[in-house]
Amino acid sequence: MGKLGRYAPARRQGDRVPPEGGGGRVPHGGGVPVATPKARHRSAGRRLLSWRKPRSVAGQVFLLQFVVVLLLIATAVTALVIQDRNRALQEAKDRSLVTAEAFANARGTADAMESDDPTAELQPHAEAVRKKTGVDYVVALSPYGFRWTHPDKDQIGKHVSTSYGNALEGEPHQTTFDSSLGKAVDSTVAVFNDKGDAVGLVTVGVTVDKVTGVVQEQLPVIFAAGGVALLLAAGGSALVSGRLRRQTRGLGPVEMTRMYEHHDAVLHAVREGVLILDGDGGLLLANDEARRLLALPADAEGRRVGELGLSPALADLLRSGRAVTDLVFLAGDTLLAVNVRPVGPRAGCVATLRDTTELRALAGRADVAGGRLQLLYEAGTRIGTTLDIGRTAEELTEVTVPRFADFATVELVKSVLHGDEPTGASTEMRRVAVAGIRDDPPFRPVGTLIRYQPGNPVTTGVTTGRPVLVADLAASDGWKAQDPGRAGRLIVYGMHSMISVPLRARGQLLGVVQFWRSEQAPFEDDDLSPAEELATRAAVCIDNARRYTREHTTAVTLQRSLLPGTLPELSALEVGHRYLPAQAGVGGDWYDVIPLPGARVALVVGDVVGHGLHAAATMGRLRTAVHNFAALDLPPDELLAHLDDLIARIDHDAAAEGDTEAITGATCLYAVYDPVSGLCVLARAGHPGPALVSPDGAVTFPDIPVAPPLGVGAGLPVETAELRLAAGSRLVLYTDGLVEARDRDIDVGLGMLREALAATHGASLDATCQAVLDAMLRTKPSDDVALLVARTRLLDPDQVAEWDVPDDPAAVPRIRAEAGRRLESWGLGEAAFTTELILSELVTNAIRYGRSPIGLRLLRDHDGLICEVADGTSTSPHLRRATFTDEGGRGLFLVAQMSRRWGTRYTDRGKIIWAELALDGEATGDLSGLLDL
């Protein structure tokens, strides 16, 4: 650009171009001018002049770089000199001190100083050291300052007046002084003999100039680097200057004029109006497009914008000169997008005008399409967030109102609401969702059963499977015929158009959705496609919810059938219970109350990890297994051990069959309560421990040893705990879903359970269960919950009779008589005969086949009499049918026929054979065949 600036005054617009050979430029075929050799020579001379008086950017940059490089070189040299002087002084000090200490500590130096002629001994060595180390002198002194050695032999023997007191005390002494050869350093150290006495001094001097010379070595490098930097700067400036010349192609005034003409032609050819105004609002330039868009007169240039017939708003904007972007103005029937930018150091601006009439129409259609895409996107993310059919239908209405419609209604086939498969194209549906921009539309309410008549748009859509548009409800006879009164109210309310779309999934009709408009523009044919897309997406979500509902209903039915219906009435316990399924569906939580012999009762609570049919079926298998093991009257620890083995085998069989759903993770708590002694024996496998509420309302959590969950015990032993419960105590068994939650720690849950149970003191068991659930579960739980609350009772001592039986058959009549008297005292004389027969058989068998100690116990329950005979052996009797020739073998058969049930349970010291007689009038077994034998 600097070259163009120098050449431009020599060739102005209109100058004649010199002929070829005249030292100027000539055009070749009207193309880019080519410089002649003479012209190139003149240009080279001017460029050389520009380096002396730099007026171009490249020259000024080079001059600046030259000055910077010189400053850097001078700074580097100065810093190096200062650094070298400091380094040389320090090195001189170090060299003199090291030499002095080396000479003073050399072997024989001290002995030489103590000799008769120290000079003869030391002078040769001192000179040798001086020459070898390059110091100026090495002088040995007596302790009194007389020289023994010196490079100048005339100085030997003379006294040195300098004080060396510090050196004689063992501290080296250094001084810096100016000598005839320049700055010098002197170091003095003392020489000590073996006794530690100072026998002399050694002083070494060296001039600083002897250790300098780094600057002289590095100056050529610095100057060479500076020269290279100057060459690089010159080369860079030359490259920049050449690049500028190449970019402008060496154009002169004529070429620049031609370029201006080209730009002017382009300015008037573009389809965007351009206005250039001065600071006073005068129009300096207007291209042809601006004249067309604004209908400017021919003499518009030079006039004020207020005199051009523009709209007041546009004229004020152009006069103000403030910057705006795409500000829209109406000029006749044209929408103009105006951009204004201030330019130049003086007041003025440039305005561009663009016709956006067609663009606005296209943009409007694009906005509509974009809004529909956004609506479909939101429908994909907001519809189907739950597996609830009603909620899914509500989400469909919430997404479409008011983005697509003013109101929306959804009706579903009745079978779909129950999770069943839809059958046929039924027009009988139940309304499940209504939403709108107002809350008072005259629609049928949610829950209404609607039967659509033939000719109704809904019926037409259901039959054809396609959406139906009613652009004018007032003119639709088929729609009004469904319910003329309600149709009239809807029209008065403002409804003017409607789209009905069937909800279909997998080829089955699930229902119908209707979109209504009252304030928006009426529906058009373009609205059918997004309406159908919305319905399709919603139908898939509704069908998923329907299938889930069916599976959930099946699982609930299965689980309800597997859980105990009504618990038995027991004299040992009063029981309250609750089961609450999880939000995600049924799970594997269960509970049970199992009567045991001897008026005892077993309480069990378990949990199978997971939800759905598999968990429910697994829970049923576990509950059946517990019943079977409890029938054997196993202790809690043995029962859980057998249950652990059973689950391990089930998992192994499932793995062998390729079934990935194992039941590892099942837990269980098993407790046996004896109302005679009040003793409760408990064991648990991976299950939360129980809560115990004493009769006075105090809540504790007994420490029950915990074993691994069922199926992963790996043979580890299960430990039991024994609790002595007072009458009226409440034992609370529960699953982890009651106390654990995602946002709550188990310790917090146990604290809440403690407070809830403490607040139910004196309440019934059903009220206790409900209060606990209300306090612990504010919302529907994420895991199912089983809760079992048992209030203990104790049998009155008068209801229990016990005898020690001697190991003698002769004692049987006496025992039978005493038992008969006790039955008479209980008012059970009618059962005395049957009871005495059973007692005789059981006691006789214990005496004959058992071992001491032998005991008899009678328990009077609320509806039965229990006879128990204990002995010290573990052999179990077997019931068999005796033949006609057998003289025995009918005793247990007789017991089985006359009692309601009988059995054997084992203890730590032997076994107990028990039989239970009914006291409620039940008939005993038929003994006629036995009596005929």
Side-chain angles (χ1 to χ4, degrees):
M1 294 303 294
K3 186 180 71 173
L4 290 177
R6 294 192 300 273
Y7 286 174
R11 298 179 59 193
R12 303 181 185 277
Q13 184 177 0
D15 290 352
R16 187 171 63 87
V17 180
E20 185 176 356
R25 297 172 180 260
V26 294
H28 289 256
V32 178
V34 179
T36 63
K38 186 175 181 179
R40 287 195 295 270
H41 177 72
R42 184 173 60 189
S43 299
R46 290 182 177 178
R47 285 196 297 273
L48 290 176
L49 183 62
S50 67
W51 291 112
R52 297 173 58 189
K53 297 180 180 180
R55 289 175 293 176
S56 65
V57 175
Q60 293 173 357
V61 170
F62 174 74
L63 181 59
L64 177 61
Q65 292 174 342
F66 180 80
V67 173
V68 171
V69 170
L70 289 181
L71 290 176
L72 290 176
I73 293 174
T75 303
V77 171
T78 303
L80 186 60
V81 169
I82 296 173
Q83 181 182 2
D84 184 73
R85 296 295 296 175
N86 294 334
R87 183 199 61 77
L89 179 60
Q90 184 62 39
E91 185 175 347
K93 291 180 178 180
D94 296 339
R95 184 183 298 182
S96 65
L97 181 59
V98 169
T99 303
E101 288 181 344
F103 190 86
N105 295 321
R107 182 182 300 175
T109 301
D111 295 335
M113 289 183 175
E114 291 180 339
S115 66
D116 296 333
D117 189 0
T119 300
E121 297 288 339
L122 297 174
Q123 177 67 15
H125 297 291
E127 286 302 299
V129 171
R130 179 182 66 81
K131 294 176 181 179
K132 189 173 183 178
T133 58
V135 299
D136 293 323
Y137 57 84
V138 177
V139 178
L141 303 174
S142 69
Y144 306 102
F146 294 95
R147 296 188 182 97
W148 284 331
T149 65
H150 197 276
D152 186 3
K153 294 182 178 181
D154 295 337
Q155 300 296 325
I156 296 176
K158 293 183 179 181
H159 185 267
V160 179
S161 60
T162 305
S163 175
Y164 297 107
N166 293 338
L168 292 174
E169 294 177 1
E171 181 178 354
H173 177 72
Q174 281 190 323
T175 59
T176 303
F177 59 95
D178 295 326
S179 67
S180 59
L181 299 178
K183 188 178 289 295
V185 177
D186 179 274
S187 298
T188 303
V189 298
V191 180
F192 299 89
N193 58 13
D194 295 338
K195 298 178 180 180
D197 299 329
V199 297
L201 298 167
V202 176
T203 177
V204 176
V206 62
T207 57
V208 177
D209 293 338
K210 286 193 174 185
V211 295
T212 59
V214 177
V215 175
Q216 290 80 356
E217 296 174 0
Q218 296 184 358
L219 282 179
V221 178
I222 295 175
F223 289 133
V228 172
L230 287 175
L231 290 176
L232 292 176
S237 300
L239 289 176
V240 171
S241 179
R243 186 174 181 85
L244 290 175
R245 289 197 303 274
R246 287 193 301 272
Q247 289 179 345
T248 59
R249 297 181 181 273
L251 294 179
V254 176
E255 290 77 16
M256 296 295 290
T257 301
R258 184 181 298 117
M259 183 179 296
Y260 166 76
E261 293 173 350
H262 293 168
H263 291 175
D264 186 66
V266 173
L267 179 66
H268 291 283
V270 295
R271 293 195 59 187
E272 185 167 314
V274 178
L275 300 176
I276 301 178
L277 302 98
D278 59 20
D280 298 328
L283 181 61
L284 300 179
L285 174 66
N287 68 347
D288 295 341
E289 184 68 9
R291 293 176 181 275
R292 185 186 68 82
L293 293 174
L294 298 177
L296 297 177
D299 59 346
E301 294 174 339
R303 297 172 59 180
R304 307 289 184 186
V305 293
E307 303 171 359
L308 301 178
L310 305 178
S311 64
L314 180 57
D316 292 341
L317 173 63
L318 296 177
R319 276 196 300 265
S320 67
R322 71 177 187 275
V324 296
T325 301
D326 287 339
L327 192 60
V328 178
F329 290 90
L330 181 63
D333 296 333
T334 304
L335 284 176
L336 298 179
V338 180
N339 294 271
V340 180
R341 294 291 184 272
V343 295
R346 296 180 299 172
C349 64
V350 174
T352 60
L353 312 169
R354 186 173 65 255
D355 187 357
T356 62
T357 305
E358 296 182 359
L359 183 61
R360 286 285 173 172
L362 292 175
R365 289 194 289 270
D367 289 341
V368 172
R372 289 177 177 175
L373 289 176
Q374 182 65 24
L375 175 63
L376 295 178
Y377 170 77
E378 291 187 9
T381 57
R382 294 176 55 187
I383 299 177
T385 58
T386 67
L387 291 174
D388 182 81
I389 296 177
R391 180 55 190 158
T392 303
E394 293 174 356
E395 290 172 344
L396 171 60
T397 61
E398 293 171 357
V399 168
T400 55
V401 176
R403 295 280 298 277
F404 181 71
D406 295 326
F407 297 88
T409 58
V410 178
E411 293 87 40
L412 297 178
V413 178
K414 290 193 299 182
S415 59
V416 173
L417 295 175
H418 302 294
D420 299 330
E421 289 283 348
T423 56
S426 175
T427 59
E428 183 177 271
M429 306 178 190
R430 189 174 300 277
R431 177 157 291 171
V432 295
V434 176
I437 57 176
R438 287 182 286 177
D439 298 332
D440 57 344
F443 290 119
R444 290 185 176 92
V446 173
T448 304
L449 185 64
I450 303 175
R451 296 179 178 85
Y452 289 102
Q453 299 178 359
N456 190 284
V458 175
T459 305
T460 303
V462 169
T463 304
T464 62
R466 303 292 300 172
V468 177
L469 167 64
V470 181
D472 186 1
L473 291 175
S476 176
D477 295 334
W479 174 73
K480 291 189 292 185
Q482 174 75 29
D483 189 344
R486 190 172 299 275
R489 291 195 297 272
L490 286 172
I491 294 174
V492 173
Y493 189 81
M495 301 294 178
H496 52 68
S497 60
M498 181 266 289
I499 292 179
S500 175
V501 189
L503 297 171
R504 303 179 66 86
R506 298 182 297 106
Q508 299 292 330
L509 177 69
L510 306 178
V512 64
V513 56
Q514 300 176 68
F515 304 107
W516 309 79
R517 283 186 179 178
S518 60
E519 297 184 3
Q520 300 184 44
F523 284 114
E524 299 176 350
D525 291 339
D526 292 342
D527 296 317
L528 291 175
S529 178
E532 187 174 14
E533 181 68 21
L534 287 169
T536 300
R537 297 191 181 193
V540 172
C541 296
I542 292 174
D543 188 56
N544 291 338
R546 178 197 63 79
R547 298 171 69 179
Y548 170 78
T549 301
R550 180 182 60 186
E551 180 180 347
H552 178 73
T553 303
T554 304
V556 169
T557 303
L558 173 62
Q559 188 177 40
R560 293 296 184 186
S561 65
L562 295 176
L563 287 174
T566 57
L567 298 180
E569 294 185 4
L570 303 170
S571 59
L573 294 171
E574 179 187 0
V575 179
H577 57 90
R578 286 290 188 279
Y579 172 77
L580 192 62
Q583 184 177 6
V586 297
D589 289 15
W590 56 284
Y591 61 89
D592 211 341
V593 178
I594 305 173
L596 297 177
R600 296 170 303 128
V601 62
L603 302 174
V604 58
V605 173
D607 183 7
V608 177
V609 176
H611 299 88
L613 290 174
H614 179 74
T618 302
M619 178 270 292
R621 299 170 72 178
L622 292 182
R623 180 168 178 259
T624 302
V626 170
H627 268 274
N628 292 335
F629 291 139
L632 300 176
D633 208 351
L634 297 177
D637 52 345
E638 293 184 18
L639 185 143
L640 291 182
H642 286 294
L643 201 62
D644 180 73
D645 294 338
L646 173 64
I647 293 179
R649 289 197 301 272
I650 293 175
D651 285 346
H652 182 271
D653 295 341
E657 296 175 2
D659 187 0
T660 58
E661 292 193 68
I663 56 177
T664 300
T667 64
C668 184
L669 187 151
Y670 188 81
V672 176
Y673 175 69
D674 186 354
V676 176
S677 61
L679 183 65
C680 182
V681 182
L682 306 94
R684 59 179 177 137
H687 201 85
L692 179 61
V693 185
S694 62
D696 60 358
V699 182
T700 58
F701 293 94
D703 185 13
I704 309 298
V706 59
L710 300 176
V712 296
L716 295 177
V718 180
E719 299 182 22
T720 60
E722 296 182 355
L723 302 177
R724 189 75 62 177
L725 305 181
S729 300
R730 286 178 291 171
L731 190 64
V732 182
L733 282 65
Y734 52 88
T735 55
D736 58 356
L738 182 68
V739 295
E740 290 185 2
R742 293 188 181 94
D743 57 346
R744 185 177 66 197
D745 188 73
I746 187 172
D747 293 334
V748 177
L750 292 176
M752 296 174 58
L753 178 61
R754 184 194 305 273
E755 295 177 359
L757 291 174
T760 59
H761 181 61
S764 65
L765 296 185
D766 285 340
T768 300
C769 292
Q770 191 61 46
V772 168
L773 293 181
D774 293 342
M776 301 294 295
L777 306 174
R778 304 295 184 182
T779 59
K780 195 169 185 180
S782 58
D783 192 10
D784 46 346
V785 175
L787 177 63
L788 187 65
V789 181
R791 180 181 284 122
T792 61
R793 297 169 179 163
L794 291 177
L795 293 182
D796 190 276
D798 187 58
Q799 294 179 268
V800 182
E802 294 182 295
W803 295 271
D804 292 328
V805 180
D807 190 6
D808 183 5
V812 174
R814 178 179 62 81
I815 296 299
R816 185 169 57 239
E818 292 181 2
R821 288 192 293 271
R822 176 54 64 93
L823 292 176
E824 291 290 341
S825 66
W826 286 344
L828 302 177
E830 297 178 357
F833 176 75
T834 304
T835 303
E836 290 177 2
L837 286 178
I838 293 175
L839 289 178
S840 295
E841 179 61 29
L842 295 180
V843 172
T844 302
N845 283 342
I847 295 174
R848 179 177 299 177
Y849 303 106
R851 184 185 306 164
S852 298
I854 301 174
L856 170 64
R857 186 172 73 168
L858 295 180
L859 299 176
R860 179 185 177 184
D861 204 354
H862 65 286
D863 65 343
L865 179 66
I866 302 171
C867 303
E868 296 180 346
V869 177
D871 66 82
T873 64
S874 59
T875 56
S876 176
H878 296 281
L879 178 66
R880 66 183 182 88
R881 182 181 294 274
T883 63
F884 290 103
T885 59
D886 289 340
E887 296 183 359
R890 298 180 180 85
L892 287 180
F893 182 78
L894 177 65
V895 171
Q897 291 295 315
M898 302 185 67
S899 62
R900 182 161 56 186
R901 54 179 182 164
W902 74 282
T904 303
R905 73 175 187 269
Y906 296 92
T907 65
D908 296 337
R909 296 178 296 177
K911 68 176 182 296
I912 297 176
I913 302 177
W914 58 271
E916 182 176 334
L917 285 75
L919 300 179
D920 54 1
E922 294 181 7
T924 59
D926 185 9
L927 302 178
S928 59
L930 182 64
L931 297 176
D932 292 340
L933 295 178

